[in-house]
Amino acid sequence: MKHKIKKRITRLIPAALFLFALWISQRILLPKYQGTVIEGNFTEEYYREPVDHDLLIIGNCESYENISTMELWKKYGITSYIRGNANQLVSQSYYLFMEALERETPKAVLFNVQAMAVEGQDTEEYNRMVFDGMKWGRYKWNGIQASAMEDENIIDYLFPIFRYHSRWSSLTEEDFTYAFKEKPLTSFNGYYLRADIRPAGEFPAERRRGDYTFPETNYQYLDKIREACEERGISLILMKAPSLYPEWPEPYEEQILQYAAEYNLSYYNFLKLMDDAGLDMAVDTYDEGLHLNVYGAEKVADYLGADLVEKFGLKDRRNEAETALWFNRRLTAYEEEKERQAEEFKTLGYIRRFTEEEENITP
């Protein structure tokens, strides 16, 4: 009997060693996003939050670059988190939201509507930014199936080494350092802080479309988000960020207004609320009007925060010891990073971290 057990163990050792080597290789090869493209960390950083949130914000870059979560805390004591990624599809927002509901039940959810105009993903990198950092479970599995492009293989998500095996030749010290060590947080509760200033400029004219109707699939997932909120007594809020490009034509606006009216939802279009929020695209954007910098994002947070308290009943939680300890730590880091970036931009005319080719930057 002992001989048989020993024989089985002997047979299992090679398989165990292979799986261990596979795990180590994948940990090393997965991108660490510690350089200029830090957005790839946003999904996974959510799991490091030790406190719950009264506000969840979901959407694409118009969500994580245009609302300061730290300003909501500093001024109103609102706990919030942004589950957003670059070019995040409506379906992906839904699955990230549903996964979050297994951890917490917010009082309000803010959905950025610009993604309603996007029919599908156009590059694998955007899908990877959403899903590589997401914990395995039914929502990750269903989300990958819903948004994977035709030339993507599901097996590559199960075993990322098949996708990233070619990175061996370009590994850096960070790949080994953070393969087995927790990475520093790159966002502030999902918010992407930029303190540089690039005034709004001219954008190329977009081609006219024959049909501006939002894809039916996007409506289906927006319905799913709304229904999940209704079932749990969560207020769903719609928002269009003040991004000047891509264009937000009137047919898009009419569809959102109709949807909001049909389901009695609040809708904030900051393209029309710029003056009310005090936004100035000469100083409140870091990329010539595509997204807000931290100064503009704080103004949007200030404007929304008042309504979140008065209209939606979100509470000031600065008197809760555990919550305040965590958020005040992040606020301190936020203010230090904001000051550091502002000083660097004042000195150099750009911020090194976000500039891949500094020699092409004119201060």
Short mmCIF file of all heavy atoms in Angstrom, two decimals, residues 61-90:
data_model
loop_
_atom_site.label_atom_id
_atom_site.label_comp_id
_atom_site.label_asym_id
_atom_site.label_seq_id
_atom_site.Cartn_x
_atom_site.Cartn_y
_atom_site.Cartn_z
N CYS A 61 -12.72 56.00 -19.86
CA CYS A 61 -11.79 57.02 -19.39
C CYS A 61 -12.49 58.32 -18.99
O CYS A 61 -11.95 59.10 -18.20
CB CYS A 61 -10.72 57.31 -20.43
SG CYS A 61 -11.38 57.83 -22.04
N GLU A 62 -13.68 58.56 -19.52
CA GLU A 62 -14.40 59.77 -19.13
C GLU A 62 -14.86 59.71 -17.67
O GLU A 62 -15.24 60.72 -17.09
CB GLU A 62 -15.60 60.00 -20.05
CG GLU A 62 -15.21 60.49 -21.43
CD GLU A 62 -16.37 61.15 -22.16
OE1 GLU A 62 -17.43 61.36 -21.55
OE2 GLU A 62 -16.21 61.46 -23.36
N SER A 63 -14.83 58.52 -17.07
CA SER A 63 -15.18 58.41 -15.66
C SER A 63 -13.94 58.54 -14.78
O SER A 63 -13.93 59.33 -13.83
CB SER A 63 -15.89 57.07 -15.39
OG SER A 63 -15.04 55.98 -15.69
N TYR A 64 -12.87 57.82 -15.11
CA TYR A 64 -11.73 57.83 -14.18
C TYR A 64 -10.81 59.03 -14.35
O TYR A 64 -9.88 59.21 -13.57
CB TYR A 64 -10.94 56.51 -14.27
CG TYR A 64 -10.16 56.26 -15.53
CD1 TYR A 64 -8.95 56.91 -15.79
CD2 TYR A 64 -10.58 55.30 -16.45
CE1 TYR A 64 -8.22 56.65 -16.94
CE2 TYR A 64 -9.84 55.02 -17.60
CZ TYR A 64 -8.67 55.70 -17.83
OH TYR A 64 -7.93 55.42 -18.96
N GLU A 65 -11.05 59.87 -15.35
CA GLU A 65 -10.21 61.05 -15.53
C GLU A 65 -10.94 62.36 -15.26
O GLU A 65 -10.33 63.43 -15.38
CB GLU A 65 -9.64 61.08 -16.95
CG GLU A 65 -8.76 59.87 -17.28
CD GLU A 65 -7.88 60.08 -18.48
OE1 GLU A 65 -7.10 61.03 -18.47
OE2 GLU A 65 -8.00 59.30 -19.44
N ASN A 66 -12.19 62.32 -14.90
CA ASN A 66 -12.97 63.55 -14.81
C ASN A 66 -13.67 63.80 -13.48
O ASN A 66 -14.34 64.82 -13.33
CB ASN A 66 -14.01 63.58 -15.94
CG ASN A 66 -13.39 63.70 -17.31
OD1 ASN A 66 -12.66 64.65 -17.59
ND2 ASN A 66 -13.64 62.73 -18.17
N ILE A 67 -13.50 62.89 -12.53
CA ILE A 67 -14.13 63.06 -11.21
C ILE A 67 -13.11 62.70 -10.14
O ILE A 67 -12.61 61.58 -10.12
CB ILE A 67 -15.37 62.17 -11.03
CG1 ILE A 67 -16.32 62.30 -12.21
CG2 ILE A 67 -16.09 62.50 -9.74
CD1 ILE A 67 -17.43 61.26 -12.21
N SER A 68 -12.83 63.62 -9.26
CA SER A 68 -11.87 63.37 -8.20
C SER A 68 -12.56 62.72 -7.00
O SER A 68 -13.35 63.37 -6.30
CB SER A 68 -11.18 64.67 -7.75
OG SER A 68 -10.43 64.45 -6.58
N THR A 69 -12.26 61.46 -6.76
CA THR A 69 -12.82 60.76 -5.59
C THR A 69 -12.32 61.37 -4.29
O THR A 69 -13.04 61.38 -3.28
CB THR A 69 -12.42 59.28 -5.63
OG1 THR A 69 -10.99 59.19 -5.76
CG2 THR A 69 -13.06 58.56 -6.82
N MET A 70 -11.10 61.88 -4.31
CA MET A 70 -10.54 62.46 -3.09
C MET A 70 -11.19 63.79 -2.73
O MET A 70 -11.33 64.14 -1.56
CB MET A 70 -9.03 62.62 -3.24
CG MET A 70 -8.26 61.31 -3.33
SD MET A 70 -8.35 60.29 -1.83
CE MET A 70 -9.60 59.07 -2.31
N GLU A 71 -11.59 64.54 -3.75
CA GLU A 71 -12.30 65.79 -3.49
C GLU A 71 -13.68 65.51 -2.91
O GLU A 71 -14.16 66.23 -2.03
CB GLU A 71 -12.42 66.60 -4.78
CG GLU A 71 -13.12 67.95 -4.62
CD GLU A 71 -12.28 68.97 -3.85
OE1 GLU A 71 -11.11 68.70 -3.56
OE2 GLU A 71 -12.83 70.06 -3.55
N LEU A 72 -14.34 64.45 -3.39
CA LEU A 72 -15.63 64.06 -2.81
C LEU A 72 -15.49 63.75 -1.33
O LEU A 72 -16.36 64.08 -0.52
CB LEU A 72 -16.19 62.84 -3.56
CG LEU A 72 -16.74 63.06 -4.96
CD1 LEU A 72 -17.09 61.72 -5.61
CD2 LEU A 72 -17.97 63.97 -4.93
N TRP A 73 -14.39 63.10 -0.97
CA TRP A 73 -14.15 62.79 0.44
C TRP A 73 -13.78 64.05 1.23
O TRP A 73 -14.32 64.30 2.31
CB TRP A 73 -13.04 61.76 0.57
CG TRP A 73 -12.55 61.60 1.98
CD1 TRP A 73 -11.40 62.08 2.52
CD2 TRP A 73 -13.24 60.92 3.04
NE1 TRP A 73 -11.31 61.76 3.85
CE2 TRP A 73 -12.43 61.04 4.20
CE3 TRP A 73 -14.44 60.23 3.13
CZ2 TRP A 73 -12.79 60.48 5.42
CZ3 TRP A 73 -14.80 59.68 4.34
CH2 TRP A 73 -13.99 59.80 5.47
N LYS A 74 -12.85 64.81 0.71
CA LYS A 74 -12.34 65.98 1.41
C LYS A 74 -13.44 67.00 1.71
O LYS A 74 -13.52 67.53 2.83
CB LYS A 74 -11.24 66.64 0.59
CG LYS A 74 -10.62 67.89 1.23
CD LYS A 74 -9.54 68.46 0.33
CE LYS A 74 -8.92 69.71 0.95
NZ LYS A 74 -7.84 70.28 0.06
N LYS A 75 -14.30 67.25 0.74
CA LYS A 75 -15.30 68.30 0.90
C LYS A 75 -16.62 67.81 1.48
O LYS A 75 -17.29 68.53 2.23
CB LYS A 75 -15.57 68.98 -0.45
CG LYS A 75 -16.44 70.22 -0.34
CD LYS A 75 -16.41 71.04 -1.60
CE LYS A 75 -17.20 72.34 -1.44
NZ LYS A 75 -17.14 73.19 -2.66
N TYR A 76 -16.99 66.56 1.16
CA TYR A 76 -18.31 66.06 1.57
C TYR A 76 -18.28 64.80 2.44
O TYR A 76 -19.32 64.39 2.94
CB TYR A 76 -19.17 65.76 0.33
CG TYR A 76 -19.41 66.97 -0.53
CD1 TYR A 76 -18.67 67.19 -1.70
CD2 TYR A 76 -20.40 67.90 -0.20
CE1 TYR A 76 -18.90 68.29 -2.50
CE2 TYR A 76 -20.63 69.02 -0.99
CZ TYR A 76 -19.87 69.21 -2.14
OH TYR A 76 -20.10 70.31 -2.93
N GLY A 77 -17.12 64.19 2.58
CA GLY A 77 -17.06 62.96 3.35
C GLY A 77 -17.70 61.79 2.63
O GLY A 77 -18.10 60.80 3.26
N ILE A 78 -17.79 61.87 1.30
CA ILE A 78 -18.40 60.80 0.50
C ILE A 78 -17.34 59.76 0.15
O ILE A 78 -16.26 60.09 -0.35
CB ILE A 78 -19.01 61.37 -0.80
CG1 ILE A 78 -20.21 62.27 -0.47
CG2 ILE A 78 -19.43 60.25 -1.74
CD1 ILE A 78 -20.77 63.00 -1.67
N THR A 79 -17.65 58.51 0.43
CA THR A 79 -16.74 57.42 0.05
C THR A 79 -17.12 56.95 -1.35
O THR A 79 -18.27 56.60 -1.60
CB THR A 79 -16.86 56.25 1.04
OG1 THR A 79 -18.21 55.79 1.11
CG2 THR A 79 -16.42 56.68 2.44
N SER A 80 -16.15 56.92 -2.24
CA SER A 80 -16.44 56.56 -3.63
C SER A 80 -15.30 55.77 -4.23
O SER A 80 -14.16 55.82 -3.74
CB SER A 80 -16.69 57.83 -4.47
OG SER A 80 -15.53 58.65 -4.50
N TYR A 81 -15.61 55.06 -5.31
CA TYR A 81 -14.59 54.33 -6.06
C TYR A 81 -15.00 54.30 -7.52
O TYR A 81 -16.19 54.14 -7.83
CB TYR A 81 -14.42 52.90 -5.55
CG TYR A 81 -13.05 52.34 -5.90
CD1 TYR A 81 -12.02 52.38 -4.98
CD2 TYR A 81 -12.78 51.84 -7.17
CE1 TYR A 81 -10.75 51.91 -5.30
CE2 TYR A 81 -11.52 51.39 -7.51
CZ TYR A 81 -10.50 51.42 -6.58
OH TYR A 81 -9.25 50.98 -6.91
N ILE A 82 -14.01 54.44 -8.40
CA ILE A 82 -14.25 54.41 -9.84
C ILE A 82 -13.79 53.08 -10.39
O ILE A 82 -12.60 52.76 -10.34
CB ILE A 82 -13.52 55.56 -10.56
CG1 ILE A 82 -13.92 56.91 -9.98
CG2 ILE A 82 -13.81 55.50 -12.06
CD1 ILE A 82 -13.08 58.07 -10.50
N ARG A 83 -14.71 52.30 -10.92
CA ARG A 83 -14.35 51.06 -11.61
C ARG A 83 -14.41 51.35 -13.11
O ARG A 83 -15.40 51.08 -13.79
CB ARG A 83 -15.28 49.91 -11.23
CG ARG A 83 -15.22 49.53 -9.77
CD ARG A 83 -15.39 48.04 -9.56
NE ARG A 83 -14.15 47.32 -9.88
CZ ARG A 83 -14.03 45.99 -9.87
NH1 ARG A 83 -15.09 45.23 -9.57
NH2 ARG A 83 -12.89 45.40 -10.14
N GLY A 84 -13.35 51.94 -13.60
CA GLY A 84 -13.30 52.35 -15.00
C GLY A 84 -11.98 52.00 -15.63
O GLY A 84 -10.96 51.87 -14.95
N ASN A 85 -11.98 51.84 -16.93
CA ASN A 85 -10.78 51.53 -17.70
C ASN A 85 -10.86 52.22 -19.06
O ASN A 85 -11.93 52.67 -19.48
CB ASN A 85 -10.66 50.02 -17.92
CG ASN A 85 -10.33 49.26 -16.66
OD1 ASN A 85 -9.18 49.14 -16.27
ND2 ASN A 85 -11.36 48.75 -15.98
N ALA A 86 -9.74 52.27 -19.74
CA ALA A 86 -9.70 52.88 -21.07
C ALA A 86 -10.62 52.13 -22.02
O ALA A 86 -10.58 50.91 -22.11
CB ALA A 86 -8.27 52.87 -21.60
N ASN A 87 -11.48 52.88 -22.70
CA ASN A 87 -12.41 52.33 -23.69
C ASN A 87 -13.26 51.19 -23.11
O ASN A 87 -13.60 50.24 -23.81
CB ASN A 87 -11.66 51.83 -24.93
CG ASN A 87 -12.52 51.90 -26.18
OD1 ASN A 87 -13.24 52.88 -26.39
ND2 ASN A 87 -12.47 50.88 -27.02
N GLN A 88 -13.63 51.31 -21.86
CA GLN A 88 -14.43 50.27 -21.21
C GLN A 88 -15.83 50.23 -21.80
O GLN A 88 -16.54 51.22 -21.83
CB GLN A 88 -14.50 50.53 -19.70
CG GLN A 88 -15.22 49.47 -18.91
CD GLN A 88 -14.97 49.61 -17.42
OE1 GLN A 88 -13.84 49.47 -16.96
NE2 GLN A 88 -16.01 49.93 -16.66
N LEU A 89 -16.22 49.06 -22.28
CA LEU A 89 -17.53 48.89 -22.89
C LEU A 89 -18.63 48.86 -21.84
O LEU A 89 -18.37 48.61 -20.67
CB LEU A 89 -17.55 47.58 -23.70
CG LEU A 89 -16.48 47.40 -24.77
CD1 LEU A 89 -16.61 46.03 -25.42
CD2 LEU A 89 -16.56 48.50 -25.81
N VAL A 90 -19.87 49.07 -22.27
CA VAL A 90 -21.00 49.03 -21.34
C VAL A 90 -21.10 47.64 -20.71
O VAL A 90 -21.37 47.50 -19.51
CB VAL A 90 -22.32 49.40 -22.05
CG1 VAL A 90 -23.48 49.39 -21.05
CG2 VAL A 90 -22.21 50.77 -22.72
#
